[in-house]
Amino acid sequence: MRYALFLILLLPALLLAEDITPQAEKKELFFGEPVVLTVPVKPGKELSAFPKSDDANFALVKTEPAGEQIRLTLSALEPGTLKTPPITLRVDGTEYGILPVELTVKPNTAESDTQLRDIKPPVKAYEPDYTLLWILGGLIIIAALFYLFWRLSKRRRKESLIAVAQKTPYQLVMEYYRRAEQELRDMEYEKFADTVTAGVRHYLELAKHRPFLEMTTSEVKKALKNTDLPTATAEQVVSLLKEADRFKYADERFTTDDFNRLLAEFRAIVDVIEKQNGVSTTPQEK
């Protein structure tokens, strides 16, 4: 009886979340590049992650196994020296607290830039593999006493843990849009061009499940041919990216009307894709 009582008292302590410091793939990256964090935890059959609170600087994009570890992919929504949000990771019912990591997100262009940046090497676009999501193992039968206390502990944790709904592609792109409007009002044209192009690429990546953030403009043009976007919309996307590239990298002079037109085209592209009903404009209810 003493051993049984000891086990009962010990179980809730064993189920508390463990704090883990992840390994960042890059500590310095350009605005628009994916932020990849590797967590030294073995993947399980059930895997999920979400920020512990709303964060205006980062959005959690993907959680996936990476060999004997777990990979978290985020997207920075602002340039600067930032800390990733604290994240709750759940693996087969066990929770881990993923601690923040400080990163430097550099803007793609700066007013002092006088040289063109090297063209990125071509990136192969792969279709996402959802095989693991369909391979769910059977339920493991656990001792009745352990299962009871696990359920009670999970219920108590749920009361204190506020899950933040993951942003939909539309909600995320509208954050880019509102920031671009403010940068245009403040006449921060370099930041405005970065925000518009990164916003379009990020939205397409989430909506069409292809790595548009890592592609050059010419690669985006080729990849769009293999999506269900209408030809006119695809051409509008490529035209917007080319115009922004001319301002950012070729020092072409733009008028206020030119910048307002870029912002209007950005919104028009999003509206057309949303009307296809291929992207949800509201969070999914669980």
Side-chain angles (χ1 to χ4, degrees), residues 158-174:
K158 197 171 183 179
E159 292 174 357
S160 60
L161 183 64
I162 302 175
V164 179
Q166 187 167 329
K167 292 181 176 65
T168 64
Y170 182 77
Q171 290 173 321
L172 187 62
V173 76
M174 291 311 297

Side-chain angles (χ1 to χ4, degrees), residues 25-44:
E25 186 178 88
K26 292 183 181 179
K27 287 297 183 70
E28 291 189 358
L29 61 160
F30 287 102
F31 182 60
E33 286 189 77
V35 178
V36 179
L37 303 179
T38 302
V39 182
V41 173
K42 186 175 181 180

Side-chain angles (χ1 to χ4, degrees), residues 17-278:
E18 177 184 351
D19 289 338
I20 297 177
T21 301
Q23 179 67 38
E25 186 178 88
K26 292 183 181 179
K27 287 297 183 70
E28 291 189 358
L29 61 160
F30 287 102
F31 182 60
E33 286 189 77
V35 178
V36 179
L37 303 179
T38 302
V39 182
V41 173
K42 186 175 181 180
K45 294 181 180 179
E46 296 182 4
L47 181 63
S48 62
F50 47 86
K52 291 185 178 180
S53 60
D54 277 319
D55 191 288
N57 296 326
F58 289 91
L60 181 60
V61 176
K62 185 165 50 176
T63 305
E64 59 186 348
E68 293 298 309
Q69 302 183 90
I70 295 173
R71 183 187 297 120
L72 303 177
T73 303
L74 300 89
S75 182
L77 304 179
E78 288 281 357
T81 300
L82 311 169
K83 282 189 176 182
T84 58
I87 296 172
T88 296
L89 174 66
R90 287 180 178 169
V91 182
D92 290 341
T94 301
E95 290 186 358
Y96 301 90
I98 308 305
L99 299 175
V101 176
E102 187 173 278
L103 305 167
T104 300
V105 181
K106 298 183 287 187
N108 287 322
T109 57
E111 294 183 0
S112 59
D113 283 349
T114 58
Q115 299 294 329
L116 295 178
R117 188 172 297 120
D118 291 340
I119 297 176
K120 294 181 180 179
V123 176
K124 293 183 178 180
Y126 294 99
E127 293 290 343
D129 185 3
Y130 296 106
T131 304
L132 291 178
L133 296 178
W134 299 101
I135 304 176
L136 297 178
L139 297 176
I140 300 174
I141 302 212
I142 306 171
L145 184 61
F146 181 87
Y147 180 80
L148 174 62
F149 278 95
W150 179 80
R151 293 294 296 178
L152 292 174
S153 176
K154 184 178 179 182
R155 187 174 302 171
R156 287 195 296 270
R157 290 200 308 272
K158 197 171 183 179
E159 292 174 357
S160 60
L161 183 64
I162 302 175
V164 179
Q166 187 167 329
K167 292 181 176 65
T168 64
Y170 182 77
Q171 290 173 321
L172 187 62
V173 76
M174 291 311 297
E175 290 185 10
Y176 280 100
Y177 181 81
R178 287 189 289 270
R179 186 162 60 253
E181 281 186 312
Q182 184 61 48
E183 290 166 349
L184 188 55
R185 286 194 291 268
D186 296 340
M187 294 186 291
E188 295 180 344
Y189 300 127
E190 298 286 350
K191 289 184 177 181
F192 168 81
D194 278 346
T195 299
V196 168
T197 54
V200 169
R201 293 173 188 273
H202 196 175
Y203 176 69
L204 287 172
E205 178 160 315
L206 297 179
K208 302 303 177 185
H209 309 292
R210 293 172 182 269
F212 286 103
L213 280 170
E214 302 174 25
M215 296 182 189
T216 62
T217 299
S218 60
E219 290 169 343
V220 169
K221 181 178 180 180
K222 292 179 182 178
L224 287 176
K225 293 179 181 179
N226 297 321
T227 67
D228 59 351
L229 275 186
T231 302
T233 305
E235 291 176 352
Q236 192 175 7
V237 170
V238 174
S239 175
L240 182 146
L241 294 177
K242 285 183 176 180
E243 284 198 65
D245 286 346
R246 287 202 304 272
F247 171 73
K248 292 192 294 182
Y249 303 122
D251 293 331
E252 185 170 326
R253 292 184 177 274
F254 274 40
T255 65
T256 302
D257 289 340
D258 291 329
F259 289 120
N260 284 324
R261 179 169 46 79
L262 280 177
L263 186 64
E265 289 179 0
F266 178 23
R267 180 60 184 265
I269 289 169
V270 174
D271 289 343
V272 168
I273 298 175
E274 286 293 313
K275 287 178 182 178
Q276 285 185 289
N277 295 324

